[in-house]
Amino acid sequence: MTTLLALIGRVFLTFVRTVGRFSLFTGLAVSHMVRPPLYPRLIVRQMIEIGYYSLPVVGLTTLFSGMVLALQSHLGFARFSAEGAVATVVVISLTRELGPVLAGLMVAGRIGAAMAAEIGTMRVTEQIDALSTLSTNPFKYLVAPRLIAGLTMLPLLVLVGDIIGVFGGYLIGTTKLGFNPGTYIARTVEFLQIMDVVSGLVKAAAFGFVIALMGCYHGYHSKGGAQGVGAATTNAVVSASILILILNYVITELFFAQ
Amino acid sequence: MTPRPPDTEPKLRLRDVRKRFGAQMVLDGIDLDVMPGESLVVIGGSGSGKSVLLKCILGLLRPDAGSIVIDGAETVGLDGRARDRVNAHLGMLFQGAALFDSLPVWQNVAFGLIQGRHTRNRAEARERAMACLAQVGLRPEVADLVPSELSGGMQKRVGLARAIATRPDIVFFDEPTTGLDPIMADVINDLIVATTKDLGATALSITHDMASATKIADRIAMLYRGRLIWVGPAKQVFESGNAHVDQFVHGRADGPITDETDKTPARSGR
């Protein structure tokens, strides 16, 4: 009985410690995002890394998602003669949900892992300590540029991804499902509301922030050499992916709950 | 009471510095003075608390208790810009050199110059970095390489160049010869002596390499189980009369020092 109580106590203390450490990390990181001096050169480098180099992955993901969505919805809607709604379903699904979520998950795998590995290696090789001894705040130098880049680049990526995804649906719709190109485009635009796109972009910004935050947090606190860096990388991707799915629900609820 | 002349004030003064990780007391009341221009080496086995001591002085770890005074100013508890101002006068050579992988060699050396606002001009920073690289015996071609293209010895030299680039008042050396062959280790020792003398800087090193310690130290202090058990002139370290020091400096397996510390190594992580 005592052992069980001790175990519960230890788990609870670890939980409280982790929450406290994470809250402090987030608070410090955000405060360094908005306080000068910032490092424009590093921010631009991260923006290129997150935005430009993730374009092929996000583009391919949304392209094929748009194509599959058109096929599947056509098959489903044909059962009650509603094939005409395919274009609308494709564009709304992509802008509201699939664009931001799929892009977020893909970027979490690509960028979150890279951030955790890079910062984790810097931690275990004492490069972060070296930054401090060289009068440079690691939060300002390493964390803030990544958070700013994540926050700003994901919405842009998702916007491009949405367009590519709609194009994927258009391709299938016009070449395989027999839609007239003009009608398909008209149907795409007709029922699309500005809030569909805006909610997707807000989600993307939140996901970008979370991906960068998880990558930086786990990398910053990694220890124990190569194994520790490996664990940090895994934790960064897993925690970012789960948080993306949770945040997706929360933001959807905030935007669209009746 | 007449004030003492400034040069008799220690450059670095530690009083009753304590640090504990969980149940393990890693630093157990350290008192230490390092005088201006002096080179003090702290020796001790693995897990004796040497790295934790250095990290406490550099502000990378916060001691649980005690005082660390640098140039007459208390530094325990300093954060942010106040800590950066103190660190601007310090240089540090890390055990593995800790060079920034993403930057070429010259930017590594010039990093403290640019970040510490010693200069805003990149051309001038590069020029000063090149001079530092020459000082540690590296050719100009090395400047544009990245750290992964350098050997261990060359990385140590670049680390040393980075440590002295801002002309610090106090330079810290963490196991400067670890992982180097004996000849390269001696070269690094010579460079440490030459560069600190050139700067007129105070030096605090930690090592378990006795050849290095006797070469670069004016005084030696031995850390054992979180306490300084002996402090004295470097020349006397082999005749200290202290059984622990004797065993350590002669590298004997038999003696009062057991491998107990290796079983419970001091954690320096945060």
Side-chain angles (χ1 to χ4, degrees), chain B residues 159-191:
Chain B
L160 180 58
R162 184 174 70 181
I164 61 170
T166 55
R167 303 196 67 79
D169 298 333
I170 309 177
V171 194
F172 298 90
F173 301 98
D174 182 3
E175 308 276 8
T177 55
T178 297
L180 301 179
D181 67 71
I183 296 170
M184 185 51 72
D186 202 45
V187 169
I188 295 292
N189 288 334
D190 285 341
L191 281 171

PDB file of all heavy atoms in Angstrom, chain B residues 159-191:
ATOM      1  N   GLY B 159      38.448  26.726 -30.205  1.00  0.00           N
ATOM      2  CA  GLY B 159      37.764  27.023 -28.937  1.00  0.00           C
ATOM      3  C   GLY B 159      38.567  28.006 -28.094  1.00  0.00           C
ATOM      4  O   GLY B 159      38.013  28.915 -27.475  1.00  0.00           O
ATOM      5  N   LEU B 160      39.878  27.813 -28.096  1.00  0.00           N
ATOM      6  CA  LEU B 160      40.754  28.720 -27.338  1.00  0.00           C
ATOM      7  C   LEU B 160      40.739  30.118 -27.960  1.00  0.00           C
ATOM      8  O   LEU B 160      40.651  31.127 -27.242  1.00  0.00           O
ATOM      9  CB  LEU B 160      42.178  28.137 -27.308  1.00  0.00           C
ATOM     10  CG  LEU B 160      43.229  28.947 -26.565  1.00  0.00           C
ATOM     11  CD1 LEU B 160      42.828  29.172 -25.107  1.00  0.00           C
ATOM     12  CD2 LEU B 160      44.592  28.241 -26.616  1.00  0.00           C
ATOM     13  N   ALA B 161      40.783  30.147 -29.304  1.00  0.00           N
ATOM     14  CA  ALA B 161      40.731  31.446 -29.998  1.00  0.00           C
ATOM     15  C   ALA B 161      39.426  32.168 -29.656  1.00  0.00           C
ATOM     16  O   ALA B 161      39.411  33.386 -29.421  1.00  0.00           O
ATOM     17  CB  ALA B 161      40.840  31.237 -31.505  1.00  0.00           C
ATOM     18  N   ARG B 162      38.309  31.405 -29.620  1.00  0.00           N
ATOM     19  CA  ARG B 162      37.014  32.018 -29.279  1.00  0.00           C
ATOM     20  C   ARG B 162      37.012  32.530 -27.837  1.00  0.00           C
ATOM     21  O   ARG B 162      36.469  33.588 -27.549  1.00  0.00           O
ATOM     22  CB  ARG B 162      35.896  30.991 -29.477  1.00  0.00           C
ATOM     23  CG  ARG B 162      34.516  31.554 -29.252  1.00  0.00           C
ATOM     24  CD  ARG B 162      33.429  30.566 -29.594  1.00  0.00           C
ATOM     25  NE  ARG B 162      33.363  29.470 -28.650  1.00  0.00           N
ATOM     26  CZ  ARG B 162      32.495  28.454 -28.734  1.00  0.00           C
ATOM     27  NH1 ARG B 162      31.662  28.395 -29.737  1.00  0.00           N
ATOM     28  NH2 ARG B 162      32.503  27.501 -27.836  1.00  0.00           N
ATOM     29  N   ALA B 163      37.659  31.739 -26.953  1.00  0.00           N
ATOM     30  CA  ALA B 163      37.670  32.129 -25.540  1.00  0.00           C
ATOM     31  C   ALA B 163      38.446  33.420 -25.300  1.00  0.00           C
ATOM     32  O   ALA B 163      38.121  34.185 -24.396  1.00  0.00           O
ATOM     33  CB  ALA B 163      38.267  30.999 -24.705  1.00  0.00           C
ATOM     34  N   ILE B 164      39.474  33.667 -26.119  1.00  0.00           N
ATOM     35  CA  ILE B 164      40.313  34.863 -25.869  1.00  0.00           C
ATOM     36  C   ILE B 164      39.957  36.031 -26.777  1.00  0.00           C
ATOM     37  O   ILE B 164      40.503  37.127 -26.603  1.00  0.00           O
ATOM     38  CB  ILE B 164      41.817  34.531 -26.036  1.00  0.00           C
ATOM     39  CG1 ILE B 164      42.116  34.053 -27.468  1.00  0.00           C
ATOM     40  CG2 ILE B 164      42.264  33.494 -25.003  1.00  0.00           C
ATOM     41  CD1 ILE B 164      43.593  33.946 -27.791  1.00  0.00           C
ATOM     42  N   ALA B 165      39.032  35.798 -27.725  1.00  0.00           N
ATOM     43  CA  ALA B 165      38.763  36.826 -28.746  1.00  0.00           C
ATOM     44  C   ALA B 165      38.280  38.147 -28.144  1.00  0.00           C
ATOM     45  O   ALA B 165      38.605  39.219 -28.649  1.00  0.00           O
ATOM     46  CB  ALA B 165      37.737  36.304 -29.751  1.00  0.00           C
ATOM     47  N   THR B 166      37.520  38.080 -27.079  1.00  0.00           N
ATOM     48  CA  THR B 166      36.982  39.320 -26.495  1.00  0.00           C
ATOM     49  C   THR B 166      37.936  39.906 -25.446  1.00  0.00           C
ATOM     50  O   THR B 166      37.572  40.833 -24.740  1.00  0.00           O
ATOM     51  CB  THR B 166      35.616  39.047 -25.824  1.00  0.00           C
ATOM     52  OG1 THR B 166      35.783  37.990 -24.871  1.00  0.00           O
ATOM     53  CG2 THR B 166      34.570  38.637 -26.851  1.00  0.00           C
ATOM     54  N   ARG B 167      39.126  39.359 -25.379  1.00  0.00           N
ATOM     55  CA  ARG B 167      40.146  39.758 -24.396  1.00  0.00           C
ATOM     56  C   ARG B 167      39.550  39.786 -22.982  1.00  0.00           C
ATOM     57  O   ARG B 167      39.489  40.829 -22.323  1.00  0.00           O
ATOM     58  CB  ARG B 167      40.756  41.118 -24.755  1.00  0.00           C
ATOM     59  CG  ARG B 167      41.377  41.157 -26.150  1.00  0.00           C
ATOM     60  CD  ARG B 167      42.307  42.341 -26.361  1.00  0.00           C
ATOM     61  NE  ARG B 167      43.524  42.283 -25.553  1.00  0.00           N
ATOM     62  CZ  ARG B 167      44.599  41.539 -25.829  1.00  0.00           C
ATOM     63  NH1 ARG B 167      44.602  40.768 -26.887  1.00  0.00           N
ATOM     64  NH2 ARG B 167      45.645  41.573 -25.041  1.00  0.00           N
ATOM     65  N   PRO B 168      39.117  38.614 -22.510  1.00  0.00           N
ATOM     66  CA  PRO B 168      38.464  38.555 -21.189  1.00  0.00           C
ATOM     67  C   PRO B 168      39.448  38.736 -20.040  1.00  0.00           C
ATOM     68  O   PRO B 168      40.659  38.536 -20.210  1.00  0.00           O
ATOM     69  CB  PRO B 168      37.897  37.134 -21.168  1.00  0.00           C
ATOM     70  CG  PRO B 168      38.792  36.359 -22.065  1.00  0.00           C
ATOM     71  CD  PRO B 168      39.228  37.293 -23.146  1.00  0.00           C
ATOM     72  N   ASP B 169      38.887  39.098 -18.883  1.00  0.00           N
ATOM     73  CA  ASP B 169      39.717  39.257 -17.676  1.00  0.00           C
ATOM     74  C   ASP B 169      39.983  37.900 -17.024  1.00  0.00           C
ATOM     75  O   ASP B 169      41.010  37.716 -16.375  1.00  0.00           O
ATOM     76  CB  ASP B 169      38.991  40.140 -16.646  1.00  0.00           C
ATOM     77  CG  ASP B 169      38.756  41.528 -17.187  1.00  0.00           C
ATOM     78  OD1 ASP B 169      39.547  41.955 -18.047  1.00  0.00           O
ATOM     79  OD2 ASP B 169      37.783  42.174 -16.751  1.00  0.00           O
ATOM     80  N   ILE B 170      39.010  37.013 -17.124  1.00  0.00           N
ATOM     81  CA  ILE B 170      39.167  35.684 -16.532  1.00  0.00           C
ATOM     82  C   ILE B 170      38.863  34.636 -17.605  1.00  0.00           C
ATOM     83  O   ILE B 170      37.858  34.754 -18.315  1.00  0.00           O
ATOM     84  CB  ILE B 170      38.198  35.450 -15.347  1.00  0.00           C
ATOM     85  CG1 ILE B 170      38.287  36.601 -14.344  1.00  0.00           C
ATOM     86  CG2 ILE B 170      38.516  34.129 -14.654  1.00  0.00           C
ATOM     87  CD1 ILE B 170      37.307  36.469 -13.178  1.00  0.00           C
ATOM     88  N   VAL B 171      39.735  33.652 -17.741  1.00  0.00           N
ATOM     89  CA  VAL B 171      39.492  32.588 -18.709  1.00  0.00           C
ATOM     90  C   VAL B 171      39.349  31.265 -17.957  1.00  0.00           C
ATOM     91  O   VAL B 171      40.128  30.977 -17.045  1.00  0.00           O
ATOM     92  CB  VAL B 171      40.638  32.465 -19.739  1.00  0.00           C
ATOM     93  CG1 VAL B 171      40.185  31.589 -20.913  1.00  0.00           C
ATOM     94  CG2 VAL B 171      41.076  33.815 -20.246  1.00  0.00           C
ATOM     95  N   PHE B 172      38.321  30.505 -18.346  1.00  0.00           N
ATOM     96  CA  PHE B 172      38.064  29.202 -17.713  1.00  0.00           C
ATOM     97  C   PHE B 172      38.372  28.094 -18.721  1.00  0.00           C
ATOM     98  O   PHE B 172      38.026  28.209 -19.902  1.00  0.00           O
ATOM     99  CB  PHE B 172      36.597  29.102 -17.282  1.00  0.00           C
ATOM    100  CG  PHE B 172      36.223  30.130 -16.251  1.00  0.00           C
ATOM    101  CD1 PHE B 172      35.729  31.372 -16.634  1.00  0.00           C
ATOM    102  CD2 PHE B 172      36.381  29.875 -14.899  1.00  0.00           C
ATOM    103  CE1 PHE B 172      35.388  32.323 -15.688  1.00  0.00           C
ATOM    104  CE2 PHE B 172      36.041  30.814 -13.952  1.00  0.00           C
ATOM    105  CZ  PHE B 172      35.551  32.048 -14.340  1.00  0.00           C
ATOM    106  N   PHE B 173      39.004  27.053 -18.223  1.00  0.00           N
ATOM    107  CA  PHE B 173      39.338  25.921 -19.091  1.00  0.00           C
ATOM    108  C   PHE B 173      38.768  24.648 -18.476  1.00  0.00           C
ATOM    109  O   PHE B 173      39.105  24.307 -17.344  1.00  0.00           O
ATOM    110  CB  PHE B 173      40.864  25.786 -19.234  1.00  0.00           C
ATOM    111  CG  PHE B 173      41.521  27.009 -19.817  1.00  0.00           C
ATOM    112  CD1 PHE B 173      42.119  27.950 -18.988  1.00  0.00           C
ATOM    113  CD2 PHE B 173      41.532  27.222 -21.185  1.00  0.00           C
ATOM    114  CE1 PHE B 173      42.715  29.088 -19.518  1.00  0.00           C
ATOM    115  CE2 PHE B 173      42.127  28.352 -21.725  1.00  0.00           C
ATOM    116  CZ  PHE B 173      42.715  29.290 -20.885  1.00  0.00           C
ATOM    117  N   ASP B 174      37.910  23.974 -19.240  1.00  0.00           N
ATOM    118  CA  ASP B 174      37.289  22.737 -18.757  1.00  0.00           C
ATOM    119  C   ASP B 174      37.987  21.558 -19.436  1.00  0.00           C
ATOM    120  O   ASP B 174      37.807  21.347 -20.632  1.00  0.00           O
ATOM    121  CB  ASP B 174      35.793  22.761 -19.101  1.00  0.00           C
ATOM    122  CG  ASP B 174      35.059  21.522 -18.596  1.00  0.00           C
ATOM    123  OD1 ASP B 174      35.695  20.682 -17.936  1.00  0.00           O
ATOM    124  OD2 ASP B 174      33.853  21.405 -18.858  1.00  0.00           O
ATOM    125  N   GLU B 175      38.771  20.831 -18.675  1.00  0.00           N
ATOM    126  CA  GLU B 175      39.505  19.662 -19.190  1.00  0.00           C
ATOM    127  C   GLU B 175      40.131  19.984 -20.553  1.00  0.00           C
ATOM    128  O   GLU B 175      39.790  19.335 -21.565  1.00  0.00           O
ATOM    129  CB  GLU B 175      38.554  18.459 -19.347  1.00  0.00           C
ATOM    130  CG  GLU B 175      37.739  18.124 -18.121  1.00  0.00           C
ATOM    131  CD  GLU B 175      38.499  17.238 -17.140  1.00  0.00           C
ATOM    132  OE1 GLU B 175      39.710  17.012 -17.335  1.00  0.00           O
ATOM    133  OE2 GLU B 175      37.859  16.799 -16.158  1.00  0.00           O
ATOM    134  N   PRO B 176      41.055  20.920 -20.609  1.00  0.00           N
ATOM    135  CA  PRO B 176      41.517  21.388 -21.932  1.00  0.00           C
ATOM    136  C   PRO B 176      42.261  20.345 -22.758  1.00  0.00           C
ATOM    137  O   PRO B 176      42.348  20.475 -23.964  1.00  0.00           O
ATOM    138  CB  PRO B 176      42.453  22.557 -21.588  1.00  0.00           C
ATOM    139  CG  PRO B 176      42.851  22.350 -20.172  1.00  0.00           C
ATOM    140  CD  PRO B 176      41.719  21.642 -19.510  1.00  0.00           C
ATOM    141  N   THR B 177      42.788  19.300 -22.110  1.00  0.00           N
ATOM    142  CA  THR B 177      43.596  18.339 -22.882  1.00  0.00           C
ATOM    143  C   THR B 177      42.913  16.988 -23.061  1.00  0.00           C
ATOM    144  O   THR B 177      43.490  16.088 -23.652  1.00  0.00           O
ATOM    145  CB  THR B 177      44.949  18.111 -22.184  1.00  0.00           C
ATOM    146  OG1 THR B 177      44.695  17.702 -20.828  1.00  0.00           O
ATOM    147  CG2 THR B 177      45.794  19.365 -22.197  1.00  0.00           C
ATOM    148  N   THR B 178      41.691  16.859 -22.554  1.00  0.00           N
ATOM    149  CA  THR B 178      40.988  15.572 -22.674  1.00  0.00           C
ATOM    150  C   THR B 178      40.772  15.197 -24.144  1.00  0.00           C
ATOM    151  O   THR B 178      40.369  16.029 -24.945  1.00  0.00           O
ATOM    152  CB  THR B 178      39.618  15.653 -21.963  1.00  0.00           C
ATOM    153  OG1 THR B 178      39.871  15.883 -20.594  1.00  0.00           O
ATOM    154  CG2 THR B 178      38.837  14.359 -22.109  1.00  0.00           C
ATOM    155  N   GLY B 179      41.090  13.957 -24.466  1.00  0.00           N
ATOM    156  CA  GLY B 179      40.852  13.456 -25.825  1.00  0.00           C
ATOM    157  C   GLY B 179      41.940  13.806 -26.816  1.00  0.00           C
ATOM    158  O   GLY B 179      41.788  13.530 -28.003  1.00  0.00           O
ATOM    159  N   LEU B 180      43.020  14.430 -26.349  1.00  0.00           N
ATOM    160  CA  LEU B 180      44.104  14.793 -27.272  1.00  0.00           C
ATOM    161  C   LEU B 180      45.309  13.883 -27.044  1.00  0.00           C
ATOM    162  O   LEU B 180      45.520  13.372 -25.935  1.00  0.00           O
ATOM    163  CB  LEU B 180      44.530  16.249 -27.044  1.00  0.00           C
ATOM    164  CG  LEU B 180      43.448  17.316 -27.229  1.00  0.00           C
ATOM    165  CD1 LEU B 180      44.026  18.688 -26.937  1.00  0.00           C
ATOM    166  CD2 LEU B 180      42.887  17.261 -28.648  1.00  0.00           C
ATOM    167  N   ASP B 181      46.113  13.682 -28.102  1.00  0.00           N
ATOM    168  CA  ASP B 181      47.329  12.905 -27.923  1.00  0.00           C
ATOM    169  C   ASP B 181      48.322  13.734 -27.086  1.00  0.00           C
ATOM    170  O   ASP B 181      48.170  14.957 -26.971  1.00  0.00           O
ATOM    171  CB  ASP B 181      47.911  12.508 -29.284  1.00  0.00           C
ATOM    172  CG  ASP B 181      48.414  13.698 -30.058  1.00  0.00           C
ATOM    173  OD1 ASP B 181      49.445  14.272 -29.670  1.00  0.00           O
ATOM    174  OD2 ASP B 181      47.754  14.090 -31.042  1.00  0.00           O
ATOM    175  N   PRO B 182      49.342  13.095 -26.484  1.00  0.00           N
ATOM    176  CA  PRO B 182      50.211  13.817 -25.539  1.00  0.00           C
ATOM    177  C   PRO B 182      50.900  15.035 -26.144  1.00  0.00           C
ATOM    178  O   PRO B 182      51.077  16.056 -25.467  1.00  0.00           O
ATOM    179  CB  PRO B 182      51.248  12.761 -25.135  1.00  0.00           C
ATOM    180  CG  PRO B 182      50.617  11.452 -25.430  1.00  0.00           C
ATOM    181  CD  PRO B 182      49.687  11.671 -26.561  1.00  0.00           C
ATOM    182  N   ILE B 183      51.261  14.921 -27.418  1.00  0.00           N
ATOM    183  CA  ILE B 183      51.962  16.061 -28.040  1.00  0.00           C
ATOM    184  C   ILE B 183      50.993  17.225 -28.230  1.00  0.00           C
ATOM    185  O   ILE B 183      51.287  18.366 -27.872  1.00  0.00           O
ATOM    186  CB  ILE B 183      52.597  15.641 -29.393  1.00  0.00           C
ATOM    187  CG1 ILE B 183      53.670  14.576 -29.120  1.00  0.00           C
ATOM    188  CG2 ILE B 183      53.184  16.834 -30.117  1.00  0.00           C
ATOM    189  CD1 ILE B 183      54.202  13.897 -30.362  1.00  0.00           C
ATOM    190  N   MET B 184      49.801  16.920 -28.774  1.00  0.00           N
ATOM    191  CA  MET B 184      48.806  17.982 -28.972  1.00  0.00           C
ATOM    192  C   MET B 184      48.380  18.566 -27.623  1.00  0.00           C
ATOM    193  O   MET B 184      48.157  19.774 -27.508  1.00  0.00           O
ATOM    194  CB  MET B 184      47.592  17.425 -29.739  1.00  0.00           C
ATOM    195  CG  MET B 184      46.537  18.462 -30.105  1.00  0.00           C
ATOM    196  SD  MET B 184      47.179  19.919 -30.929  1.00  0.00           S
ATOM    197  CE  MET B 184      47.582  19.250 -32.527  1.00  0.00           C
ATOM    198  N   ALA B 185      48.291  17.705 -26.602  1.00  0.00           N
ATOM    199  CA  ALA B 185      47.928  18.188 -25.270  1.00  0.00           C
ATOM    200  C   ALA B 185      48.954  19.203 -24.785  1.00  0.00           C
ATOM    201  O   ALA B 185      48.599  20.250 -24.219  1.00  0.00           O
ATOM    202  CB  ALA B 185      47.839  17.013 -24.305  1.00  0.00           C
ATOM    203  N   ASP B 186      50.228  18.902 -25.032  1.00  0.00           N
ATOM    204  CA  ASP B 186      51.275  19.823 -24.585  1.00  0.00           C
ATOM    205  C   ASP B 186      51.224  21.141 -25.372  1.00  0.00           C
ATOM    206  O   ASP B 186      51.449  22.213 -24.816  1.00  0.00           O
ATOM    207  CB  ASP B 186      52.649  19.150 -24.737  1.00  0.00           C
ATOM    208  CG  ASP B 186      53.673  19.788 -23.823  1.00  0.00           C
ATOM    209  OD1 ASP B 186      53.338  20.024 -22.636  1.00  0.00           O
ATOM    210  OD2 ASP B 186      54.790  20.093 -24.288  1.00  0.00           O
ATOM    211  N   VAL B 187      50.890  21.010 -26.665  1.00  0.00           N
ATOM    212  CA  VAL B 187      50.754  22.222 -27.496  1.00  0.00           C
ATOM    213  C   VAL B 187      49.643  23.104 -26.930  1.00  0.00           C
ATOM    214  O   VAL B 187      49.803  24.324 -26.792  1.00  0.00           O
ATOM    215  CB  VAL B 187      50.445  21.828 -28.965  1.00  0.00           C
ATOM    216  CG1 VAL B 187      50.037  23.048 -29.780  1.00  0.00           C
ATOM    217  CG2 VAL B 187      51.645  21.143 -29.604  1.00  0.00           C
ATOM    218  N   ILE B 188      48.517  22.477 -26.583  1.00  0.00           N
ATOM    219  CA  ILE B 188      47.383  23.242 -26.040  1.00  0.00           C
ATOM    220  C   ILE B 188      47.776  23.874 -24.697  1.00  0.00           C
ATOM    221  O   ILE B 188      47.473  25.039 -24.427  1.00  0.00           O
ATOM    222  CB  ILE B 188      46.130  22.334 -25.888  1.00  0.00           C
ATOM    223  CG1 ILE B 188      45.634  21.853 -27.260  1.00  0.00           C
ATOM    224  CG2 ILE B 188      45.007  23.040 -25.128  1.00  0.00           C
ATOM    225  CD1 ILE B 188      45.058  22.922 -28.168  1.00  0.00           C
ATOM    226  N   ASN B 189      48.495  23.103 -23.871  1.00  0.00           N
ATOM    227  CA  ASN B 189      48.949  23.666 -22.593  1.00  0.00           C
ATOM    228  C   ASN B 189      49.816  24.901 -22.814  1.00  0.00           C
ATOM    229  O   ASN B 189      49.660  25.916 -22.132  1.00  0.00           O
ATOM    230  CB  ASN B 189      49.747  22.613 -21.811  1.00  0.00           C
ATOM    231  CG  ASN B 189      48.857  21.531 -21.257  1.00  0.00           C
ATOM    232  OD1 ASN B 189      47.675  21.766 -21.022  1.00  0.00           O
ATOM    233  ND2 ASN B 189      49.412  20.344 -21.068  1.00  0.00           N
ATOM    234  N   ASP B 190      50.752  24.779 -23.766  1.00  0.00           N
ATOM    235  CA  ASP B 190      51.629  25.929 -24.068  1.00  0.00           C
ATOM    236  C   ASP B 190      50.809  27.127 -24.535  1.00  0.00           C
ATOM    237  O   ASP B 190      51.069  28.273 -24.145  1.00  0.00           O
ATOM    238  CB  ASP B 190      52.643  25.552 -25.160  1.00  0.00           C
ATOM    239  CG  ASP B 190      53.745  24.647 -24.615  1.00  0.00           C
ATOM    240  OD1 ASP B 190      53.925  24.615 -23.380  1.00  0.00           O
ATOM    241  OD2 ASP B 190      54.412  23.960 -25.424  1.00  0.00           O
ATOM    242  N   LEU B 191      49.818  26.834 -25.385  1.00  0.00           N
ATOM    243  CA  LEU B 191      48.979  27.932 -25.898  1.00  0.00           C
ATOM    244  C   LEU B 191      48.193  28.590 -24.765  1.00  0.00           C
ATOM    245  O   LEU B 191      48.019  29.811 -24.737  1.00  0.00           O
ATOM    246  CB  LEU B 191      48.015  27.399 -26.955  1.00  0.00           C
ATOM    247  CG  LEU B 191      48.602  27.167 -28.343  1.00  0.00           C
ATOM    248  CD1 LEU B 191      47.601  26.436 -29.234  1.00  0.00           C
ATOM    249  CD2 LEU B 191      48.997  28.490 -28.988  1.00  0.00           C
TER     250      LEU B 191
END
